[in-house]
């Protein structure tokens, strides 16, 4: 693996790319998108070949980790073929974030294709509550997906839980016990103010990582580790379990100083920061100069100068970024 040549104005090395393969999803999670959504037409999204070209050129510039995201990446037709292609690029870490609904059918193909790790969203263990949060999701399908991933040989599976007061904070202990019983890691995430929603008040719903950690500490001792996932999570271990508990805290514990990642949306927009609109549009370049890797690499390198020093998420629920998470790439 070559040394990364992508460095921003603040001396941070960028070696991690989150690559969205679709803005569509079979769920409508209340913190991610509105109930009624308008999705991008086919001609405005990158083809699988264009996504692979972007991935290949990031790897040639020293990227060591790629995570495929969405929307829900597993509803994109041909995604297993894309995994097989990117899986041949020699990445140190090749991962995917998914809601788990399609894993019963696809987990084995993804593992054989070279995918190393899975992050599976799980915000409730109560079927009715799960349905309310996801609007369309079926809990049993996701639980079957988790089991299918384990059976397929994925040794590194992490659950992701967005904690919201009045929604699911009382389930924190049960979710930790579930992760421990299954031998999985679990990360609790503060809700991010992306996209205008009317379904709940983000300011009132915000449950900080400190609050979550205090709830878990009533049941289990937590020991801070120096484990590095290559992302923003801070991990804790429990002395009596191999499962780790992680926290992603964009509000209460800004992780910008060590940010090593960028995102590419399915419409080919290179986002330099989750919480800002600094970006470069790669799609015209991909379409006007098809197959021209040199131009693409030059554009990616130039874009690093656009990466801001930090984001400024509001803790009162005020929306600063109008794009939804499904458009950002989860």
């Amino acid at each position: 693996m070559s040394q990364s040549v992508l460095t921003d104005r603040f001396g941070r090395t960028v070696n991690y790319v989150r690559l969205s393969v679709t803005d569509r999803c079979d769920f409508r999670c209340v913190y991610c998108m509105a109930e009624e959504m308008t999705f991008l037409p086919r001609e405005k999204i990158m083809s699988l070949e264009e996504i692979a070209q972007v991935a290949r050129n990031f790897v040639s510039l020293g990227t060591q980790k790629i995570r495929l995201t969405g929307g829900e990446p597993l509803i994109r037709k041909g995604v297993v073929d894309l995994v097989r292609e990117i899986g041949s690029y020699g990445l140190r870490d090749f991962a995917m974030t998914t809601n788990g609904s399609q894993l019963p059918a696809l987990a084995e193909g993804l593992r054989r294709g070279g995918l190393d790790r899975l992050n599976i969203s799980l915000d409730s263990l109560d079927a009715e509550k799960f349905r309310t949060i996801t609007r369309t999701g079926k809990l049993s399908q996701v639980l079957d997906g988790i089991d299918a991933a384990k059976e397929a040989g994925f040794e590194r599976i992490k659950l992701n839980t967005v904690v919201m007061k009045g929604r699911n904070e009382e389930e924190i202990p049960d979710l930790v016990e579930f992760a421990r019983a299954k031998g999985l890691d679990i990360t609790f995430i503060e809700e991010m103010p992306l996209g205008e929603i009317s379904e709940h008040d983000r300011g009132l719903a915000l449950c900080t990582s400190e609050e979550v950690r205090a709830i878990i500490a009533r049941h289990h001792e937590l020991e801070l580790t120096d484990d590095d996932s290559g992302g923003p999570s801070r991990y804790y271990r429990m002395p009596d379990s191999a499962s780790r508990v992680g926290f992603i805290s964009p509000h209460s514990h800004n992780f910008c100083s060590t940010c090593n990642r960028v995102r590419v949306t399915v419409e080919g927009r290179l986002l330099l920061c989750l919480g800002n609109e600094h970006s470069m549009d790669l799609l015209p370049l991909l379409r006007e100069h098809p197959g021209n890797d040199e131009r693409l690499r030059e554009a990616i390198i130039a874009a690093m100068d656009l990466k801001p020093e930090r984001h400024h998420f509001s803790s009162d629920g005020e929306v600063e970024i109008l794009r939804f998470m499904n458009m950002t790439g989860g």
Side-chain angles (χ1 to χ4, degrees), residues 10 21 52 63 82 84 90 96 164 211 276 285 317 328-329:
F10 307 98
V21 303
T63 291
L82 178 65
R84 191 177 301 114
M96 177 183 286
M164 296 167 285
E211 292 173 299
N276 286 284
L285 191 154
T328 301

Side-chain angles (χ1 to χ4, degrees), residues 43-212:
E43 66 271 12
K44 290 192 176 181
I45 68 172
M46 291 189 291
S47 67
L48 295 181
E49 292 76 17
E50 288 167 337
I51 293 172
Q53 183 186 356
V54 170
R56 186 175 67 250
N57 280 278
F58 266 104
V59 172
S60 75
L61 292 170
T63 291
Q64 300 174 7
K65 176 178 179 178
I66 287 179
R67 175 178 297 279
L68 299 182
T69 68
E72 171 46 49
L74 293 183
I75 67 170
R76 176 84 187 251
K77 187 177 180 180
V79 70
V80 175
D81 294 330
L82 178 65
V83 165
R84 191 177 301 114
E85 172 64 23
I86 297 175
S88 70
Y89 294 166
L91 287 161
R92 176 180 59 81
D93 191 350
F94 185 24
M96 177 183 286
T97 296
T98 173
N99 65 28
S101 67
Q102 307 302 312
L103 284 175
L106 299 179
E108 189 174 340
L110 294 170
R111 186 70 191 98
R112 284 203 311 265
L115 198 68
D116 299 317
R117 297 195 299 118
L118 285 170
N119 284 7
I120 303 173
S121 299
L122 184 66
D123 297 320
S124 176
L125 292 167
D126 177 276
E128 275 303 312
K129 192 178 296 181
F130 184 88
R131 179 83 175 189
T132 300
I133 292 173
T134 63
R135 294 194 180 105
T136 58
K138 191 174 180 181
L139 176 62
S140 60
Q141 198 173 347
V142 174
L143 298 181
D144 288 345
I146 292 170
D147 289 339
K150 288 175 65 69
E151 291 167 12
F154 281 98
E155 296 180 0
R156 293 190 291 170
I157 302 172
K158 180 166 71 71
L159 305 177
N160 282 345
T161 300
V162 176
V163 184
M164 296 167 285
K165 288 180 179 175
R167 287 283 192 181
N168 62 348
E169 83 274 18
E170 76 282 358
E171 286 198 70
I172 292 166
D174 290 341
L175 286 159
V176 171
E177 295 308 322
F178 178 82
R180 285 164 57 94
K182 292 285 186 181
L184 311 175
D185 293 340
I186 184 167
T187 291
F188 294 98
I189 305 170
E190 294 176 348
E191 184 182 3
M192 300 182 191
L194 298 176
E196 289 278 8
I197 61 171
S198 58
E199 204 274 344
H200 66 275
D201 185 318
R202 282 182 169 136
L204 296 177
L206 176 63
C207 190
T208 68
S209 294
E210 284 73 16
E211 292 173 299
V212 176

Side-chain angles (χ1 to χ4, degrees), residues 315-327:
S315 61
D316 61 7
E318 182 179 347
V319 172
E320 297 159 359
I321 304 298
L322 296 179
R323 55 179 151 79
F324 286 102
M325 198 66 189
N326 70 299
M327 287 297 300

